[in-house]
Amino acid sequence: MFIQPIDYVLVGWFILAVASTAYVGWDQFQNNPEPTVMKWGFILVTLYMGPLGLLLYVLADKEPRPGEHEQFIEPLWKQGVGSTIHCVAGDATGIILAAAVTAAIGLPMWIDLIVEYVAGFAFGLLIFQSLFMKSMMGGTYVENVRRSFLPEFISMNFMMGGMAPTMAFLMMGRDMRAMEPTELLFWGVMSFGVIAGFVVAYPSNVWMVARRLKHGLMTERTRAHSAAVHEGHDVRHGQPQTGVHAHSQHGIASDATRPQRAAVAGVSALALVLGMVAPANWLNLRLSAREVGGAIMPPGMIMDRNTPAAAMLDMAAVDPRDVVARFGLDTRGDRDLPARLEGDVRVFDLDTSVIRWTILPGITVDAYAFNGQIPGPRLRFRQGDRVRINVTNHLPETTTVHWHGLVLPNVMDGPAHITQAPIENGQRYRYEFTATQSGTYFYHSHDHVDRQQALGLYGAMLIEPREVDPGLQADHEYTLLLQEWLLREGLTYPAMPMEGAMPNYFTINGRAYPSTDTIRMRVGETLKVRFIGSNNGFIHPMHIHGGPFQVVAKDGQTLQPSARYFADTVNVGPGERYDVIWRALRPGKWLIHCHIGHHATNNNVETEGGGGLMMVIAVAE
Ligand SMILES: [Cu+2]
């Protein structure tokens, strides 16, 4: 539950709301001489509006000293508060109940708003206004409904005019946990919506009270109560005494003219329509809580009225509550996965899950991982081997695995929905093929690739040739898998070349410089570097200092000696592999790094001379 600072703020808010409500409830029934329906009105509204409800109660309604309630509540602004409280208590209860139910059912947001309006109006008019007030106002239930209709219509319209856009924008903003009634944020948004609704509905309530279209606050003293009030004036024993000045018990004689009523009602309807319709200009109100509820979007992502649910889910943060294991800097990725022999088949088991992975001291990402490592474990086998890989999915979404660059049966190739049904959570898929090629390959997710591979679902696959070519040998070897990350406000998003999804961290084998490996060798020795383009949406011109390297293989294919060439930079694009051989000519610290400056920083910060896609070759004499 606690994954963002707002969650802690909300806990504080709701503790205050409950404490405020407890106080108001206690004081209402202990000390305050007013009709029961108003007591409950204030209690409900304080629950929704927290300390603000308490403030209104103390300033406008709480009897300051015994016997003074009648006089205290007289000012019009207080009567207006009472009238609005009354409306909000009924309407907001209906709206909130409807919001929780519609979210659970999974109705589109625009239907949610309409249902909420109808429910709020119905609850306010038919139950709170007409039923609960009946005993006070006298008359039959139907008469009360008829009499309350216009004031209720006006007040509800203004209230929804304020509450609807507040709910829409906050529920469908960046943190769409606000759409889920199981999240504290949902209730926070409801609270905020009620406050906005109260503010918008208040002026019309002041007018209606002044024109005696609506009741404001009232005093009602019973025998038991008045007995305790020694100095109480205007107390008639045994009979409920309601109303100050013109608020008589039976109905209210209003002096509002027809044009005045029509004008206010018309403007209230306009406010309602505006509040309900305007958000549709910016938000995709066709979406439901079931589709996108719970998703948290990256800051800066462009979300407009046409952004589909699938686009949002693709770019959403990894839910930190899905993390099943945490790893520090002592755990490496790209570890050799020993094969198990079943007959003459080499069997590997790959399990996907959500982990927390450390890329720098104190900097962790929430990642999708094979076997709890970033990159996934290194698969090593020989040309001609029969290989079986059991992939079990423990992600909160489906996945598949593609064996990049391999010649194999189509059904083993991995693309979701194209050669196979995606692997559901808890399910396993058995990939099996014979390795006909050799060289540097890799495997990666092929279901929502832009999301899953960008979150860590990839690993090296090195296939040893049947016959070793001495020209491709080196004294040392290093395999280098690249990745971009987007880490904001403690949440990890898949980095993409899209607005709001640009990466701010970069890793070689799951670590950013200065936490990357250091390669140690001596002058005169050779180093074979296998660059693997496991990076998902960005090209990295990988450069080695201290002299050129020879490119000896590309995408697993050994270059003919005449095709091998010298360079000091290779553009490692997504999916590409380069095997290069570098000779240490001089002693010292020589860098391997991406030549896009930003990719050699950590969140735009240089530490110890760089960051991100950078590592050191330490060459001794
Ligand atoms: Cu780069």
Side-chain angles (χ1 to χ4, degrees):
M1 176 159 295
F2 298 104
I3 57 175
Q4 288 285 281
I6 184 74
D7 301 333
Y8 296 93
V9 173
L10 286 172
V11 167
W13 172 264
F14 284 115
I15 287 173
L16 285 177
V18 168
S20 304
T21 307
Y23 174 77
V24 169
W26 174 80
D27 191 71
Q28 280 282 25
F29 285 101
Q30 215 57 40
N31 306 316
N32 212 33
E34 70 176 346
T36 312
V37 65
M38 279 310 302
K39 292 186 198 291
W40 281 108
F42 259 105
I43 291 169
L44 282 174
V45 169
T46 309
L47 188 62
Y48 304 152
M49 293 177 41
L52 293 180
L54 176 61
L55 181 74
L56 291 174
Y57 177 66
V58 172
L59 294 188
D61 189 34
K62 176 181 159 52
E63 188 169 44
R65 277 163 292 275
E68 291 183 9
H69 193 254
E70 289 83 346
Q71 204 187 339
F72 181 68
I73 62 173
E74 260 184 68
L76 183 59
W77 77 266
K78 295 180 184 176
Q79 292 293 318
V81 166
S83 170
T84 317
I85 290 282
H86 199 267
C87 155
V88 167
D91 301 350
T93 303
I95 292 172
I96 292 172
L97 290 177
V101 170
T102 51
I105 297 173
L107 296 177
M109 197 68 189
W110 69 272
I111 298 181
D112 277 17
L113 291 176
I114 292 171
V115 172
E116 284 159 22
Y117 176 79
V118 171
F121 196 105
F123 198 86
L125 177 69
L126 301 179
I127 297 177
F128 215 81
Q129 197 60 252
S130 305
L131 195 63
F132 294 169
M133 292 284 275
K134 189 171 162 299
S135 58
M136 266 174 42
M137 295 175 66
T140 66
Y141 177 72
V142 176
E143 275 170 6
N144 272 301
V145 171
R146 194 176 45 74
R147 198 159 44 207
S148 306
F149 187 85
L150 184 73
E152 180 64 22
F153 178 74
I154 291 170
S155 190
M156 174 71 195
N157 285 352
F158 277 120
M159 166 146 174
M160 196 65 178
M163 201 168 168
T166 308
M167 289 192 300
F169 279 108
L170 291 180
M171 289 170 98
M172 305 199 73
R174 269 191 53 214
D175 192 341
M176 289 184 287
R177 290 182 302 152
M179 293 179 87
E180 305 267 34
T182 50
E183 299 276 0
L184 210 51
L185 197 55
F186 173 90
W187 300 100
V189 167
M190 290 296 138
S191 268
F192 203 70
V194 171
I195 291 168
F198 187 99
V199 170
V200 177
Y202 178 69
S204 67
N205 275 277
V206 170
W207 179 79
M208 286 192 284
V209 169
R211 297 278 66 81
R212 293 175 204 157
L213 273 169
K214 254 189 114 176
H215 279 291
L217 291 166
M218 283 164 275
T219 307
E220 180 181 279
R221 296 198 189 273
T222 61
R223 186 200 301 267
H225 192 93
S226 60
V229 181
H230 303 300
E231 292 168 289
H233 56 274
D234 198 17
V235 172
R236 275 175 233 158
H237 287 269
Q239 256 198 350
Q241 155 76 19
T242 57
V244 284
H245 52 183
H247 294 186
S248 70
Q249 229 168 304
H250 290 280
I252 330 173
S254 172
D255 62 356
T257 64
R258 229 170 235 284
Q260 286 174 350
R261 293 175 202 226
V264 175
V267 169
S268 79
L270 208 60
L272 170 72
V273 170
L274 205 66
M276 301 270 275
V277 174
N281 190 54
W282 294 277
L283 305 171
N284 187 349
L285 296 184
R286 295 183 299 276
L287 301 181
S288 72
R290 188 166 294 171
E291 289 173 288
V292 293
I296 306 179
M297 309 316 302
M301 173 183 175
I302 291 179
M303 285 164 68
D304 60 29
R305 58 181 178 240
N306 294 318
T307 306
M312 295 182 185
L313 295 180
D314 225 36
M315 290 174 76
V318 177
D319 190 335
R321 292 169 288 196
D322 290 332
V323 168
V324 295
R326 293 165 172 77
F327 299 98
L329 285 171
D330 51 331
T331 309
R332 295 184 51 88
D334 186 38
R335 302 198 296 272
D336 255 317
L337 181 63
R340 181 173 81 242
L341 272 178
E342 283 180 17
D344 58 352
V345 183
R346 299 183 158 271
V347 183
F348 300 94
D349 295 311
L350 292 181
D351 283 29
T352 59
S353 64
V354 184
I355 64 165
R356 183 156 298 163
W357 185 258
T358 307
I359 61 170
L360 279 167
I363 306 286
T364 59
V365 290
D366 293 337
Y368 286 6
F370 288 111
N371 295 14
Q373 8 178 339
I374 304 290
R378 186 185 298 195
L379 305 184
R380 262 180 184 281
F381 40 89
R382 293 180 68 84
Q383 191 176 19
D385 279 350
R386 183 76 181 164
V387 175
R388 181 184 305 147
I389 304 145
N390 301 312
V391 176
T392 310
N393 181 23
H394 296 295
L395 297 174
E397 56 197 69
T398 61
T399 194
T400 64
V401 182
H402 170 58
W403 316 96
H404 187 100
L406 295 193
V407 178
L408 37 60
N410 190 237
V411 71
M412 298 299 165
D413 198 41
H417 303 291
I418 294 167
T419 61
Q420 70 167 96
I423 312 168
E424 302 284 341
N425 175 294
Q427 304 263 293
R428 193 209 304 190
Y429 192 91
R430 196 174 81 172
Y431 295 93
E432 189 166 328
F433 50 82
T434 302
T436 59
Q437 299 139 284
S438 67
T440 306
Y441 295 84
F442 75 117
Y443 59 93
H444 60 83
S445 156
H446 216 296
D447 187 7
H448 293 97
V449 190
D450 59 345
R451 173 177 180 78
Q452 297 188 356
Q453 194 180 327
L455 287 173
L457 286 186
Y458 60 86
M461 188 162 57
L462 307 183
I463 310 173
E464 289 152 35
R466 266 198 205 92
E467 287 157 31
V468 174
D469 180 344
L472 299 179
Q473 298 293 297
D475 302 314
H476 301 269
E477 205 181 298
Y478 193 82
T479 301
L480 196 150
L481 295 104
L482 306 172
Q483 189 186 350
E484 310 86 9
W485 299 91
L486 176 57
L487 182 62
R488 297 265 181 219
E489 298 168 351
L491 296 172
T492 308
Y493 303 87
M496 298 176 197
M498 274 191 70
E499 302 87 354
M502 299 300 274
N504 59 347
Y505 285 96
F506 308 87
T507 56
I508 294 174
N509 295 343
R511 299 273 190 265
Y513 179 85
S515 293
T516 46
D517 292 329
T518 295
I519 301 166
R520 294 180 192 285
M521 53 194 293
R522 296 187 160 278
V523 170
E525 288 181 328
T526 52
L527 167 69
K528 179 170 172 179
V529 179
R530 300 176 192 249
F531 290 106
I532 298 184
S534 50
N535 36 304
N536 197 47
F538 301 85
I539 298 168
H540 301 292
M542 297 304 295
H543 172 55
I544 303 185
H545 287 204
F549 48 70
Q550 187 180 33
V551 180
V552 296
K554 167 78 168 77
D555 297 344
Q557 312 300 312
T558 303
L559 298 181
Q560 295 298 315
S562 61
R564 294 173 196 174
Y565 61 98
F566 284 91
D568 59 32
T569 307
V570 278
N571 272 333
V572 184
E576 288 190 310
R577 282 94 59 218
Y578 286 94
D579 293 6
V580 309
I581 293 176
W582 180 83
R583 182 177 294 275
L585 301 174
R586 302 274 171 89
K589 291 178 180 174
W590 305 103
L591 288 179
I592 304 179
H593 71 92
C594 174
H595 223 282
I596 293 175
H598 175 54
H599 297 177
T601 64
N602 299 320
N603 202 18
N604 286 15
V605 175
E606 276 198 7
T607 312
E608 294 176 30
L613 301 184
M614 182 180 277
M615 59 186 294
V616 171
I617 309 171
V619 179
E621 291 276 7

